[in-house]
Amino acid sequence: MALSIAKRQASEFIETDVVCVGAGIMSATLALLLSELDPNLKVTVVERLEAPALESTGPWNNAGTGHAGLCELNYSVEQADGSVDISKAIKINEQFQISRQLWSYLVEQGQLSDTRAFINSTPHMVFVHGDDHVNYLRARRDAMAGQPLLASMSYSEDAAQIGQWSPLLIEGRKGNEPIAASYDPTGTDVNFGALTRSYLNTVTERGGDVIYNFDVTDLKPSGDGGWLLRAAHTGGGHGIIIKAAKVFIGAGGYALNLLQKAGLPEAQGYGLFPISGQFLTTSKRAIVARHSQKVYGKASVGAPPMSVPHLDARIIDGEKYVLFGPFAGSSPKFLKDGSLLDLPLSLRPHNILPMLEVAKDNLPLVKYLASQILLPPSAQEASLREFYPDADLADWKLLAAGQRAQIIKKDENGHGTLQFGTETIVGGGGSIAGLLGASPGASTAVPIMLGLLEKIFAERIDGWRDQLLKIVPTWGKSLNDDVALARATMTHTAEVLGITPPVK
Ligand SMILES: Cc1cc2nc3c(=O)[nH]c(=O)nc-3n(C[C@H](O)[C@H](O)[C@H](O)COP(=O)(O)OP(=O)(O)OC[C@H]3O[C@@H](n4cnc5c(N)ncnc54)[C@H](O)[C@@H]3O)c2cc1C
């Protein structure tokens, strides 16, 4: 387990092979993979808070969707001719199958025992109304038909069928506006906080070190190809200095600041656009007993793609909840436990212009975020009732979601653009890397970290390949191009994880 603070205060200098800054799902995944690939590597994780997964990775701070492109419409992009490009949905699904393979391997090895604590079958649905949105969903269905990874999906424009899939969507619905839904029973709800805790337990059992309540404040090259990190004790005790051959900055919204402190030219020109969020949540029996799906819809104009509200069945620490949201908002913090000065202090001569350009080019987004902050409870209820017509706000309470820090970077013409994905920045000849951005996030931590290993351990990756293929047998293959392999992989991982297999 983590070393006690008292012991830490006494030891001011730590030498390690790899240091991961932050104890969220990204650092934990990397630390776990390294402990699998080379148990002799000394891995140290440093976290500024008192426990793992208290920021975006915590189950109440994210929506827990096992992102697989089954319900998130921002991955199925409408084209000018009315057709739908589903290549992003397939890519996300491919990535999620990699995550499922790591989890299955860990279960088979006895390292993850309680599968219900971190993954539960939760059908993924899309629900839309109005002619335009119905036409879009139909075109999406046409594009998805015949794709091996999406073969379990059904589609309907019939209220009775949709009501069978998800009764709360239909009960009390008035008028005869056209509606449509897609339904995929292989969808999942994932508790990324539980996974993170489990991974870090395994890492410490194998000799790794997880240090809490230490805030990494500075990083400098050590002169021998590695790095020196300075970390301050958040309770005011002695600081520590960590010498490491390799550094991974998995500090969420604070990663960019640390990459800039490390003086990486690769981090120049980047800025962050923070987006806060709120969820409505209920544990009322009459509701949670009747809603077991994740239901996504279509974004309003200007809405950031990952902030389209959805009605989500959740299972957190064995209890059932229904979450609705997130309602996006605006806050200058880069972490939930961050500072109001985060945004102003992130401004540098090299990123001011791209950030101003983004504000200018994204006026509908800025307007949308401003409107969301001012959203009265009646408007939140109206938004909830678009999914659940009989909803009563009195049954729900509002809670703050995690903070997202979206990437702002220059495009090929040097113009600032807002990005909604994640990006790894690697510098120092592969000795240091950091992760920026939030989506699709935790669901794809495994492929993101496997990709990172290829960059920062390029000299060792060939030697690790056999072990990597035991962990993720389809690593490097495209499942959607191989019907039999896609089916066999999904069926096997579903069996091991105790979740719904692909429809026959
Ligand atoms: C509202 C919302 C909904 C989301 N929904 C989903 C979803 O449904 N499915 C999905 O897959 N993903 C979702 N995501 C994205 C997902 O939560 C994140 O991508 C993921 O949790 C990021 O993990 P991380 O480890 O990079 O960062 P975090 O979980 O933010 O962890 C970073 C850690 O670094 C620590 N830290 C920061 N600075 C320092 C420092 N200087 N020294 C030491 N420690 C430091 C922080 O305290 C924190 O613990 C959602 C995110 C949000 C905000």
Side-chain angles (χ1 to χ4, degrees):
M1 287 307 292
L3 294 187
S4 75
I5 290 166
K7 190 169 169 196
R8 264 303 147 214
Q9 284 173 1
S11 62
E12 295 192 324
F13 185 80
I14 297 169
E15 199 158 357
T16 189
D17 293 313
V18 182
V19 65
C20 300
V21 182
I25 188 77
M26 297 296 171
S27 286
T29 304
L30 182 66
L32 176 90
L33 286 169
L34 288 171
S35 76
E36 282 290 334
L37 295 170
D38 182 354
N40 294 321
L41 267 183
K42 172 85 177 146
V43 181
T44 304
V45 178
V46 192
E47 166 59 50
R48 67 196 280 269
L49 300 178
E50 64 279 12
L54 293 182
E55 284 286 346
S56 293
T57 299
W60 290 106
N61 288 336
N62 63 66
T65 303
H67 286 306
L70 306 174
C71 57
E72 316 81 345
L73 295 183
N74 52 312
Y75 303 135
S76 308
V77 187
E78 191 162 10
Q79 305 297 293
D81 65 356
S83 65
V84 176
D85 176 0
I86 57 159
S87 52
K88 279 190 187 157
I90 290 173
K91 183 174 172 212
I92 304 296
N93 196 300
E94 292 272 5
Q95 292 180 317
F96 192 59
Q97 302 306 331
I98 290 172
S99 298
R100 284 173 53 150
Q101 289 177 68
L102 170 72
W103 301 334
S104 301
Y105 168 85
L106 295 173
V107 170
E108 286 173 322
Q109 298 296 310
Q111 288 158 28
L112 274 180
S113 47
D114 182 4
T115 50
R116 289 295 71 78
F118 71 90
I119 189 163
N120 287 284
S121 277
T122 307
H124 284 188
M125 291 184 67
V126 178
F127 177 67
V128 294
H129 42 94
D131 282 322
D132 288 353
H133 289 175
V134 170
N135 288 339
Y136 159 79
L137 201 64
R138 202 182 298 131
R140 174 181 178 265
R141 183 272 317 264
D142 293 345
M144 287 184 162
Q147 300 293 338
L149 288 173
L150 309 173
S152 299
M153 194 180 293
S154 304
Y155 171 83
S156 179
E157 295 173 19
D158 172 29
Q161 173 61 75
I162 298 171
Q164 254 183 32
W165 286 333
S166 186
L168 299 189
L169 296 181
I170 298 301
E171 288 170 10
R173 190 164 291 280
K174 300 203 172 50
N176 48 12
E177 200 185 17
I179 55 173
S182 64
Y183 175 90
D184 194 312
T186 65
T188 53
D189 178 60
V190 182
N191 182 336
F192 297 105
L195 268 177
T196 300
R197 284 193 297 277
S198 219
Y199 290 175
L200 291 178
N201 281 342
T202 302
V203 168
T204 49
E205 276 160 20
R206 291 176 177 166
D209 201 359
V210 186
I211 306 170
Y212 295 111
N213 297 304
F214 277 89
D215 191 356
V216 174
T217 52
D218 207 7
L219 303 88
K220 291 279 170 281
S222 59
D224 58 0
W227 292 86
L228 285 174
L229 282 72
R230 187 178 294 280
H233 182 225
T234 52
H238 292 292
I240 51 176
I241 290 180
I242 304 167
K243 183 173 190 302
K246 305 243 183 222
V247 180
F248 170 64
I249 305 176
Y254 279 4
L256 181 60
N257 180 29
L258 291 173
L259 286 166
Q260 286 170 344
K261 281 188 171 164
L264 294 193
E266 294 82 355
Q268 294 243 338
Y270 283 84
L272 295 177
F273 186 96
I275 298 177
S276 59
Q278 287 181 319
F279 287 119
L280 284 170
T281 178
T282 182
S283 56
K284 190 173 173 182
R285 273 196 89 69
I287 301 173
V288 299
R290 306 193 63 230
H291 188 73
S292 313
Q293 308 78 32
K294 286 176 181 281
V295 186
Y296 279 56
K298 193 103 167 81
S300 329
V301 174
M306 69 295 158
S307 292
V308 185
H310 32 99
L311 190 66
D312 272 27
R314 300 292 313 272
I315 298 183
I316 299 174
D317 300 333
E319 295 296 324
K320 286 185 167 185
Y321 301 89
V322 177
L323 239 66
F324 182 70
F327 297 103
S330 179
S331 151
K333 294 181 179 185
F334 288 164
L335 287 176
K336 196 171 169 180
D337 187 62
S339 153
L340 294 173
L341 295 176
D342 286 344
L343 181 60
L345 290 179
S346 74
L347 297 177
R348 301 281 185 282
H350 58 76
N351 67 16
I352 285 183
L353 190 60
M355 288 171 79
L356 288 175
E357 285 167 342
V358 161
K360 183 170 109 342
D361 294 351
N362 290 271
L363 285 178
L365 170 63
V366 174
K367 213 169 128 203
Y368 173 84
L369 293 176
S371 72
Q372 292 280 300
I373 310 169
L374 304 171
L375 210 60
S378 58
Q380 290 179 340
E381 187 170 60
S383 176
L384 173 60
R385 284 188 180 168
E386 281 187 29
F387 287 78
Y388 173 17
D390 283 344
D392 178 352
L393 209 53
D395 295 330
W396 301 72
K397 66 177 184 193
L398 205 57
L399 56 90
Q403 190 75 3
R404 293 179 192 263
Q406 303 298 148
I407 303 169
I408 292 174
K409 67 186 268 199
K410 290 182 190 165
D411 64 14
E412 60 278 8
N413 303 318
H415 191 81
T417 55
L418 188 59
Q419 313 271 310
F420 288 103
T422 47
E423 190 165 326
T424 45
I425 293 189
V426 180
S431 62
I432 183 165
L435 185 97
L436 302 181
S439 297
S443 301
T444 51
V446 183
I448 290 173
M449 288 303 122
L450 287 173
L452 185 70
L453 281 178
E454 294 187 312
K455 292 179 189 157
I456 64 173
F457 281 99
E459 70 286 2
R460 298 204 57 188
I461 202 80
D462 281 340
W464 287 344
R465 205 162 291 280
D466 287 351
Q467 179 62 10
L468 271 174
L469 286 171
K470 277 190 199 146
I471 300 172
V472 179
T474 72
W475 178 238
K477 293 186 182 151
S478 163
L479 285 181
N480 206 50
D481 292 335
D482 185 335
V483 186
L485 185 63
R487 212 180 159 75
T489 305
M490 286 193 282
T491 305
H492 174 71
T493 54
E495 206 173 282
V496 177
L497 298 171
I499 54 177
T500 305
V503 169
K504 291 207 167 47

